[in-house]
């Protein structure tokens, strides 16, 4: 079968754009309206998306700041939300964000394994290190851990979680009522991990799911982030403004994965894309202009402050002047660099910059017809820049409806996207291999040698 584009749907109920909630089509309370999230999940499944993705933060300031014009100020915890949505759907996956900095491996492994069982093998974990001072203040810290420390902890955290997910072999549970044997004790394994950050004995008290364990997703672009992603991730979300930087990232990740002894085809790179879709170019531009006009200045400034690591104070600066230099950050180093790149390459003023990043926070924004949007996606997909895309509709539900009703058919017409789901698990639909339990592999190897 020919290689096809994979698609994630990034659908915060309050909308992706910083001013989305003010749009006439967007429910003002969408961020905490469960029925609305159900509608979005069913629409994304109708569009044959691989997964519904949600980012997450551990402080009120997630998404830019605490000003009054930001619907991201409060919302659902993703695993809880997805556990409720999973039984209402049949094929779409659910990728939830959870922090290696502020969660312990056992609790995280347990809740994601539970979501994987509830969804019958459709869960994914987006691994993040959580980079804000505001979050640190909610977890007994006066300031966040240094960037390098967070990534060392993250690498070990993922290692422990994967070990915990292998506590039971796939066929450990016999559940024989006649003999009274519920599970085979020889197929239960202790974790016995002792490292720099964690001491975890195990085993995990949740069995394996039909897909083995949740798909591991990562989104870091810094040097540390790339190393973690290439070593551990099966899907990588990334942000680029042009095909050149996307190709550099794609080729680098694939080479690093190969260096870790991994099959690079099993590491899917999916850049973020925020599309404003119109049946004509003017209609698409009108949609972009309408949302842009709804941005409050204070929210635009807060957004830039958040994206540049919380170190940039724009108070007193002329919004129609250039972006001043941002001091180094222990926050999102790659995103800080990307925002500077966008400002410099486009010669944007502060106002123009926050208007441009308001919909996608550094991800690629496309304003166009279904044909021109697919032209871009196809170019990236066929030229070593992407295996798929994480779609960020600027506002909801209209932005998602437009993509499903207008863009998906054009992708299918060109043979670039599925016309039906390939399987029932997230792994099957992404074309990722089943992760064999290492204990079972070791046993089979010994038996074969004998």
């Amino acid at each position: 079968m020919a290689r096809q584009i994979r698609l994630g749907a990034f659908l915060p109920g309050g909308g992706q754009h910083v001013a989305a909630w003010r749009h006439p089509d967007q429910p003002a309370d969408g961020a905490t309206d469960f029925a609305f999230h159900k509608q979005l999940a069913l629409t994304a499944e109708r569009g044959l998306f691989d997964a519904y993705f949600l980012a997450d933060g551990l402080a009120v300031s997630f998404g830019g700041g605490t000003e009054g014009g930001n619907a991201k100020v409060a919302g659902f915890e993703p695993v809880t939300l997805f556990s409720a949505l999973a039984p209402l759907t049949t094929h779409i996956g659910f990728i939830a964000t959870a922090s290696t900095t502020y969660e312990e491996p056992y609790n995280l492994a347990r809740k994601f394994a539970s979501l994987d069982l509830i969804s019958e093998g459709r869960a994914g974990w987006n691994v993040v290190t959580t980079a804000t001072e505001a979050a640190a203040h909610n977890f007994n810290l006066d300031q966040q851990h240094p960037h390098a420390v967070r990534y060392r902890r993250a690498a070990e955290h993922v290692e422990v979680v994967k070990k915990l997910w292998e506590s039971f072999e796939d066929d450990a549970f016999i559940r024989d009522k006649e003999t009274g044997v519920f599970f085979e004790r020889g197929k239960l394994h202790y974790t016995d991990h002792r490292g720099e950050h964690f001491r975890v004995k195990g085993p995990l008290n949740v069995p394996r799911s039909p897909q083995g364990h949740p798909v591991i997703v990562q989104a870091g672009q810094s040097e540390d982030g790339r190393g973690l992603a290439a070593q551990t991730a099966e899907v990588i979300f990334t942000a680029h403004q042009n095909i050149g930087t996307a190709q550099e990232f794609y080729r680098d990740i694939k080479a690093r994965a190969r260096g870790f002894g991994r099959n690079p085809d099993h590491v899917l790179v999916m850049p973020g894309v925020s599309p404003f879709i119109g049946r004509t170019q003017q209609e698409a531009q009108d949609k972009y202009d309408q949302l842009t006009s709804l941005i409050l200045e204070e929210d635009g400034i807060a957004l830039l402050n958040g994206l540049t690591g919380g170190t940039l104070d724009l108070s007193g600066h002329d919004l129609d002047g250039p972006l001043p230099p941002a001091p180094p950050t222990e926050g999102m180093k790659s995103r800080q660099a990307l925002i500077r790149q966008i400002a410099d390459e486009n010669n944007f003023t502060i106002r123009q910059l926050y208007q441009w990043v308001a919909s996608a926070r550094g991800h690629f924004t496309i304003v166009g017809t279904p044909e021109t949007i697919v032209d871009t996606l196809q170019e990236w997909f066929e030229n070593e820049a992407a295996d798929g895309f994480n779609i960020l509709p600027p506002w909801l539900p209209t932005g998602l409806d437009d993509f499903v009703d207008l863009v998906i058919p054009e992708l299918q017409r060109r043979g670039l996207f599925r016309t039906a789901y390939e399987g029932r698990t997230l792994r099957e639909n992404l074309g990722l291999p089943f992760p064999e339990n290492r204990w079972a592999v070791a046993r089979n190897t010994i038996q074969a040698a004998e």
Side-chain angles (χ1 to χ4, degrees):
M1 181 178 177
R3 177 171 169 263
Q4 290 191 318
I5 288 174
R6 309 300 178 186
L7 289 178
F10 188 174
L11 306 173
Q16 192 65 239
H17 192 282
V18 71
W21 72 275
R22 300 185 67 201
H23 193 283
D25 297 346
Q26 169 90 39
D29 63 347
T32 50
D33 183 339
F34 177 73
F36 185 55
H37 284 85
K38 174 184 174 182
Q39 175 188 341
L40 297 177
L42 293 174
T43 300
E45 187 165 70
R46 176 170 65 84
L48 305 177
F49 275 86
D50 288 278
Y52 184 156
F53 167 75
L54 277 179
D56 193 32
L58 298 173
V60 164
S61 62
F62 174 66
T66 56
E67 284 67 24
N70 193 336
K72 290 177 180 282
V73 71
F76 292 122
E77 189 281 314
V79 174
T80 306
L81 173 64
F82 287 159
S83 294
L85 290 175
L88 306 178
T89 56
T90 55
H91 289 90
I92 193 166
F94 294 98
I95 299 175
T97 296
S99 173
T100 58
T101 302
Y102 300 115
E103 294 203 41
E104 289 295 309
Y106 197 94
N107 283 343
L108 188 147
R110 189 171 188 241
K111 71 179 183 180
F112 274 89
S114 297
L115 175 60
D116 212 24
L117 283 178
I118 291 168
S119 64
E120 299 182 301
R122 292 184 284 138
W125 169 32
N126 179 42
V127 180
V128 300
T129 65
T130 307
T132 66
E133 295 290 351
H137 298 163
N138 291 333
F139 291 88
N140 303 309
L141 295 174
D142 293 326
Q143 61 185 37
Q144 65 180 314
H145 295 301
H147 187 274
V149 172
R150 294 201 312 272
Y151 273 92
R152 287 201 307 274
R153 177 183 165 102
E156 186 180 345
H157 194 293
V158 174
E159 177 189 355
V160 178
V161 168
K162 291 177 71 174
K163 288 179 180 178
L164 287 165
W165 282 338
E166 292 189 316
S167 295
F168 287 101
E169 295 180 34
D170 295 282
D171 58 351
F173 287 87
I174 300 170
R175 301 185 180 94
D176 189 324
K177 293 186 178 182
E178 292 298 321
T179 65
V181 178
F182 191 78
F183 72 97
E184 191 172 339
R185 289 181 177 271
K187 295 184 178 180
L188 170 64
H189 304 281
Y190 285 87
T191 306
D192 288 329
H193 177 91
R194 297 183 70 87
E196 177 186 0
H197 299 280
F198 304 109
R199 295 191 298 277
V200 181
K201 186 172 181 59
L204 187 68
N205 57 349
V206 183
R208 302 249 288 180
S209 82
Q211 70 168 347
H213 66 65
V215 173
I216 296 177
V217 183
Q218 213 266 333
Q221 289 185 212
S222 65
E223 181 64 24
D224 290 332
R226 292 186 186 209
L228 178 64
Q231 185 174 6
T232 65
E234 298 170 282
V235 176
I236 301 172
F237 294 149
T238 180
H240 298 280
Q241 291 291 303
N242 59 70
I243 190 172
T245 62
Q247 287 172 322
E248 183 279 325
F249 180 86
Y250 184 96
R251 292 164 180 165
D252 180 55
I253 286 293
K254 299 288 185 172
R256 290 179 190 236
R258 192 178 293 110
F260 283 114
R262 304 183 64 197
N263 183 340
D265 292 339
H266 299 159
V267 182
L268 305 179
V269 177
M270 298 175 62
V273 173
S274 181
F276 289 81
I277 307 160
R279 288 175 173 82
T280 65
Q281 183 65 37
Q282 187 58 55
E283 182 185 346
Q285 187 64 47
D286 289 344
K287 290 179 177 180
Y288 175 81
D289 292 341
Q290 181 183 18
L291 259 185
T292 299
S293 71
L294 298 176
I295 303 172
L296 302 177
E297 285 187 359
E298 58 265 36
D299 286 327
I301 292 170
L303 177 63
L304 289 184
N305 182 58
L307 292 173
T308 53
T311 61
L312 184 61
D313 182 6
L314 293 173
S315 59
H317 282 82
D318 180 5
L319 297 187
D320 296 310
L323 183 74
T329 179
E330 289 297 341
M332 296 183 291
K333 291 180 181 290
S334 59
R335 193 54 54 92
Q336 183 188 59
L338 180 61
I339 297 303
R340 170 54 61 184
Q341 173 195 332
I342 295 170
D344 292 346
E345 289 184 352
N346 296 281
N347 198 29
F348 278 157
T349 65
I350 294 172
R351 191 187 310 277
Q352 290 170 327
L353 180 61
Y354 74 59
Q355 289 174 342
W356 183 247
V357 301
S359 67
R361 291 157 182 77
H363 293 281
F364 190 34
T365 298
I366 310 178
V367 182
T369 64
E371 293 76 17
T372 59
I373 288 170
V374 173
D375 286 345
T376 299
L377 301 185
Q378 184 171 4
E379 180 187 14
W380 286 40
F381 177 66
E382 294 180 345
N383 291 280
E384 295 188 325
D387 295 306
F389 301 91
N390 203 23
I391 304 302
L392 293 74
W395 80 103
L396 297 166
T398 311
L400 177 61
D401 291 338
D402 285 348
F403 196 91
V404 169
D405 295 334
L406 300 175
V407 176
I408 293 291
E410 180 63 19
L411 286 168
Q412 292 170 329
R413 188 184 69 78
R414 301 189 195 189
L416 293 168
F417 190 63
R418 65 167 63 94
T419 55
Y421 283 106
E422 294 82 3
R424 291 297 298 271
T425 72
L426 179 56
R427 288 185 179 282
E428 289 173 318
N429 292 323
L430 288 172
L432 295 171
F434 183 90
E436 293 188 74
N437 185 289
R438 63 191 172 103
W439 301 102
V441 170
R443 176 184 292 105
N444 293 337
T445 300
I446 292 171
Q447 290 175 347
E450 295 174 345

